[in-house]
Amino acid sequence: MAGKKGIIPNHVKKPMFIHPLESHPIISIFMRVEDPRKPSLSFRHPLPSMLFMTLMAVLCGASDWEQIVVACEGMQDWLAKYVDMSAGIPCERTFKNVFSALKPEALEKSLQQMSSLLRERISGEVVCFDGQTSCGTADKYKDLRGIHLLNAWSADNKICLAQLKIDDKSNEIPAMPELMDQLDLRGTIITADAMNTQKVTVKKAVQAEADYAFPVKENQETLLKDIELAFQGLDQEQKKKEEKWQRALKRAEKNRDRERLKKLQDEKDFTCGSSFWTSGPEKAHGRVETRSCTALPIGELPSKEGWEKIKSIARITRERSVGEKTSQETIYYITSLAPDAALIAEVIRDHWSIENSLHWRLDVHFKQDASRYRERNGASNLAVLRKIALNMLSKEKTLKKGIATKQCAAAHKEGYREKVLKNLF
């Protein structure tokens, strides 16, 4: 009589997999990932081996399953130093089946565990939250948009701390507090885009013993209007004070009152309780950009109720010139930081590193946006391994080159792969 499906009979010996370097942090973390496959007599490829193979192939620049298989075949003997390779290299179909069955939460946890090994705790560390859609994973026949992933990025450590796959019928608003719960955010400064400027997100930041700096746009209409009015009042007060100072200066000059002139110069201050910072002209990519930040204490802002620990509001103005065309953009922020314009401007500038150092690199160097792998779980799991590989290459400092060059070195130099694996942990 046949036994139950998915259960190996007692008289059949279960496969025993031996990973030569199972003490290595990456392999030990992969060994904790729950294997989604049911027990089977044809169970040949252990999950840690498949995860490690895929990670190293992605590290070397492979962007789809065909390339991953070819890359693994080219370094099979080297891979055997770390994991069990007795069954050889799985075929593309095996890779796809396993990654499709693997729960995204399992690998997302692995990313968090590995990033915690690489992360250096810094006082005032800026942790940026932002979503990214993998356009190539959209399926118009099933009416599915590309998978949307919410990422947490350490601007100071320059590594991705975590990823959370957003449900197809949801968005980032409920996902961000969930992802924040999974991270140690004590002593950090949290930033996000305007969509996540929500009272629940602010409350979660306060509970995590972190500060925050969030932009305010039309999705918080009442708060935005109150902040605009506060800065309009500041501008008017500063203008009146400057005009009064100019009149006093002219009278002193007319009367040749040197003592009064000196006193007026010493008293020249139009801040009216605000903090101001501006950058010099920055030239890059054919454009000239100037940034300024004005910060105000929260005071009696009418709509501050419910925004826990809010201390300041800020106005960031960017003026950009390309050729003869000049444009200006103004964005308002709320923050739990003191009204220090220079600090707030620096934090807000750091937020954009998630676009330049994470999303752009994933799309350009790891071809994430070009991937046509549409299986939802599989695409999310592969995205996790791309981020782990990017973290490893970013933290490897012996080769002082860009990510693309490091990928090339990893693909062609066994010694460099060894450095990436052994020198980081």
Side-chain angles (χ1 to χ4, degrees):
M1 184 176 177
K4 291 184 179 180
K5 185 177 180 181
I7 298 178
I8 300 177
N10 291 330
H11 65 278
V12 178
K13 187 177 180 181
K14 294 184 180 180
M16 295 295 292
F17 301 115
I18 300 173
H19 303 293
L21 278 181
E22 65 179 39
S23 61
H24 189 280
I26 289 181
I27 299 166
S28 64
I29 288 172
F30 281 156
M31 289 179 70
R32 297 175 219 156
V33 178
E34 183 181 354
D35 196 325
R37 297 171 290 181
K38 293 182 178 180
S40 168
L41 293 174
S42 59
F43 187 84
R44 298 173 57 217
H45 303 284
L47 182 62
S49 295
M50 295 187 69
L51 293 174
F52 186 75
M53 279 187 269
T54 307
L55 173 62
M56 297 315 299
V58 169
L59 188 88
C60 294
S63 58
D64 58 35
W65 292 116
E66 289 182 2
Q67 295 177 13
I68 287 170
V69 170
V70 171
C72 291
E73 288 173 346
M75 54 182 174
Q76 184 170 347
D77 292 340
W78 179 81
L79 290 169
K81 297 178 182 178
Y82 289 86
V83 290
D84 191 321
M85 297 294 295
S86 57
I89 308 296
C91 64
E92 292 175 41
R93 176 51 53 192
T94 301
F95 272 117
K96 288 180 180 179
N97 288 342
V98 171
F99 271 72
S100 297
L102 188 61
K103 294 180 180 179
E105 296 84 1
L107 270 194
E108 287 168 357
K109 188 174 181 180
S110 296
L111 170 60
Q112 293 174 28
Q113 291 169 342
M114 290 186 198
S115 64
S116 67
L117 297 176
L118 296 173
R119 184 184 181 189
E120 180 186 350
R121 294 313 302 261
I122 301 167
S123 178
E125 176 187 12
V126 178
V127 178
C128 319
F129 289 80
D130 196 21
Q132 182 184 32
T133 300
S134 299
C135 299
T137 60
D139 193 334
K140 64 179 181 180
Y141 298 107
K142 295 182 180 179
D143 195 26
L144 290 173
R145 63 181 183 180
I147 62 169
H148 193 70
L149 306 171
L150 180 62
N151 302 313
W153 169 261
S154 170
D156 295 280
N157 283 282
K158 294 181 172 51
I159 58 172
C160 182
L161 301 177
Q163 166 192 302
L164 182 64
K165 179 181 176 293
I166 307 297
D167 187 83
D168 289 328
K169 296 180 180 179
S170 185
N171 57 46
E172 292 179 25
I173 295 174
M176 183 167 168
E178 182 182 345
L179 186 56
M180 290 169 69
D181 273 335
Q182 299 174 21
L183 297 170
D184 182 2
L185 297 171
R186 286 173 298 175
T188 65
I189 303 171
I190 297 170
T191 66
D193 58 13
M195 178 190 293
N196 289 302
T197 304
Q198 306 288 337
K199 291 180 180 178
V200 64
T201 309
V202 165
K203 184 177 181 180
K204 187 64 67 176
V206 173
Q207 290 174 350
E209 300 179 29
D211 284 302
Y212 60 85
F214 295 147
V216 180
K217 294 187 178 179
E218 286 73 13
N219 63 323
Q220 297 291 345
E221 188 175 0
T222 303
L223 180 62
L224 177 61
K225 286 182 178 178
D226 286 347
I227 294 173
E228 287 176 335
L229 286 172
F231 279 102
Q232 286 173 15
L234 173 67
D235 292 340
Q236 291 170 4
E237 187 179 352
Q238 287 178 331
K239 185 178 180 181
K240 288 179 182 178
K241 193 170 184 179
E242 184 176 2
E243 288 174 349
K244 183 178 179 181
W245 183 86
Q246 290 286 359
R247 289 195 297 268
L249 184 69
K250 286 180 180 179
R251 284 197 300 270
E253 288 176 343
K254 185 177 180 180
N255 297 329
R256 297 181 182 180
D257 188 342
R258 294 183 180 180
E259 185 177 339
R260 177 63 174 160
L261 283 170
K262 184 179 183 305
K263 187 177 180 181
L264 285 170
Q265 291 294 342
D266 292 340
E267 293 175 350
K268 186 179 180 181
D269 179 11
F270 312 131
T271 56
C272 300
S274 67
S275 173
F276 181 76
W277 172 90
T278 186
S279 71
E282 299 174 356
K283 298 180 180 180
H285 308 291
R287 64 176 182 265
V288 179
E289 186 173 289
T290 302
R291 296 176 296 120
S292 65
C293 175
T294 305
L296 269 176
I298 191 64
E300 297 301 321
L301 194 75
S303 52
K304 68 178 181 180
E305 197 67 34
W307 300 97
E308 293 191 24
K309 272 190 70 178
I310 183 171
K311 290 182 181 177
S312 312
I313 54 176
R315 177 177 63 189
I316 296 286
T317 303
R318 301 184 184 95
E319 187 174 284
R320 178 178 296 179
S321 299
V322 181
E324 296 180 356
K325 294 183 178 180
T326 299
S327 60
Q328 191 176 82
E329 178 187 33
T330 299
I331 303 177
Y332 298 97
Y333 288 81
I334 57 171
T335 176
S336 61
L337 298 169
D340 182 339
L343 173 61
I344 294 171
E346 182 182 353
V347 169
I348 292 168
R349 182 68 177 268
D350 283 347
H351 174 75
W352 296 108
S353 67
I354 192 172
E355 292 286 351
N356 302 327
S357 300
L358 179 63
H359 296 168
W360 185 84
R361 284 175 169 176
L362 289 172
D363 288 340
V364 173
H365 299 310
F366 291 86
K367 309 294 189 295
Q368 178 167 283
D369 215 26
S371 174
R372 294 296 180 266
Y373 183 33
R374 293 187 173 89
E375 206 293 316
R376 316 302 276 179
N377 282 0
S380 177
N381 288 326
L382 197 53
V384 169
L385 294 186
R386 290 190 188 104
K387 292 181 176 77
I388 294 174
L390 177 58
N391 284 352
M392 294 167 66
L393 292 174
S394 298
K395 282 293 185 180
E396 203 295 303
K397 301 297 184 183
T398 62
L399 181 60
K400 301 186 184 301
K401 302 291 182 181
I403 296 297
T405 304
K406 289 182 177 181
Q407 285 179 308
C408 185
H412 294 92
K413 296 180 180 181
E414 181 178 308
Y416 185 69
R417 288 198 297 272
E418 296 282 354
K419 281 184 181 180
V420 172
L421 282 172
K422 291 183 178 179
N423 291 353
L424 293 180
F425 301 99

